[in-house]
Amino acid sequence: MISGDFKTSYRDDIAIFQTGFVKTCVVLFVIGLVGLVLVSDVYIVYIVNLCAIATIGALGLNILTGFTGQISVGHAGFLAIGAYASARLVEAGLPFLLALPAAGLIATLCGLLVGIPSLKLKGLYLAITTFAFGFIVEYVANIWVSLTNGTNGMIVLPASIGGVPFETDRQFFFLVFPMAALAVLYARNLARSRPGRAWIAIRDRDIAAESMGIGLCWYKLSAFAVSSFYGGIAGALYAHYMQFIGPNHFELNLSVQYLAMIIIGGLGSILGSIFGAVFMTILPELLKYLPDLLRENHPLLVERFADINLMLYGLIIMLFVIVEPKGLYGIWRNIKSYWQMWPYTH
């Protein structure tokens, strides 16, 4: 007599949607999200699109930092490379469907250039290297006027597929959401594959991983490549969505924001990347209403609100590290376990 919840084959154990309930929840989520986009105002759709773009970028950083243990503080640099590459390629007449992966590949090549000299580095030394890379990209974006138009920024053509433009927020949703879904599915499959397991082994103990025959150089470079590709795709989508980019869009605070996404969402978790991206995209929008509440009684705080914003990001990261190191994904898993075991929880 079959009872309980267990798997009888390896295929069942590694399935992405392991139960019918999960499949039903995913279908209902997609239907609900599409319905929300169709009936909501433009501002809500704008936030949803930003969440989808941030999810792609956060997945890439989580693959490098969360799964492989390679700390990166220069993720904004890869977004900038993808954004400018796609903008220039589309402007030159290349179709968007070709310019988008080409921008991702250009970002991948730059990621390999950063990854090769970083093979012997780890921890804070690697963080400083990627930190410098982000500054270099920002500096190049400011001075290479013929390519980026410098500090004046550049206008980006809207995305178009088969002559159908994606100019409005609702139109762009039906472009970015399928791409975000494909990015999540690919990352989920990659995490449970041979490279994904090798990345986790390197993160947990690189010396032990190497002694088991895992090539550290190859897998570290592959993590950099995949991470930078995701970042390039996210940057390209952001450029064609905003239809205007400048060096100030890819400053250090963007790298910090993406790092906060994966820490708050949950390091080494695909679902955590989504949670963190949504949380860190919605949080600044909610904080915009805070000055209005403080303006009458605390005008000095309103004047220094930009600095307070950065302090709030740091405080939130500290709270998650102290209270729930596994982030929002850890909270979600605890809630799920509670209801699965209820009423026999201890």
Side-chain angles (χ1 to χ4, degrees), residues 131-152:
F131 180 74
F133 169 75
F135 267 115
I136 291 171
V137 172
E138 184 183 347
Y139 176 74
V140 170
N142 276 288
I143 65 169
W144 197 348
V145 179
S146 61
L147 178 68
T148 66
N149 204 27
T151 56
N152 293 324

Side-chain angles (χ1 to χ4, degrees), residues 140-183:
V140 170
N142 276 288
I143 65 169
W144 197 348
V145 179
S146 61
L147 178 68
T148 66
N149 204 27
T151 56
N152 293 324
M154 61 180 293
I155 297 174
V156 182
L157 296 174
S160 176
I161 298 178
V164 179
F166 295 88
E167 296 178 326
T168 67
D169 295 276
R170 286 190 175 85
Q171 288 174 340
F172 195 83
F173 168 80
F174 292 101
L175 170 67
V176 72
F177 179 71
M179 290 189 175
L182 287 174

Side-chain angles (χ1 to χ4, degrees), residues 294-304:
L294 300 174
R295 196 177 305 278
E296 185 175 346
N297 298 323
H298 305 281
L300 292 177
L301 292 179
V302 175
E303 293 177 5
R304 303 305 300 263

Side-chain angles (χ1 to χ4, degrees), residues 6-80:
F6 59 92
K7 309 296 184 298
T8 58
S9 69
Y10 183 69
R11 182 184 295 274
D12 292 337
D13 187 53
I14 66 173
I16 296 178
F17 307 116
Q18 296 194 350
T19 64
F21 177 75
V22 174
K23 295 177 183 178
T24 303
C25 289
V26 171
V27 172
L28 291 176
F29 169 77
V30 173
I31 294 174
L33 186 60
V34 172
L36 176 68
V37 168
L38 292 177
V39 302
S40 298
D41 58 24
V42 176
Y43 178 69
I44 298 297
V45 182
Y46 166 77
I47 298 299
V48 172
N49 289 339
L50 289 184
C51 288
I53 295 172
T55 295
I56 298 174
L59 283 169
L61 184 58
N62 215 345
I63 287 172
L64 180 63
T65 302
F67 283 92
T68 318
Q70 304 292 97
I71 302 175
S72 174
V73 197
H75 200 58
F78 299 117
L79 272 80

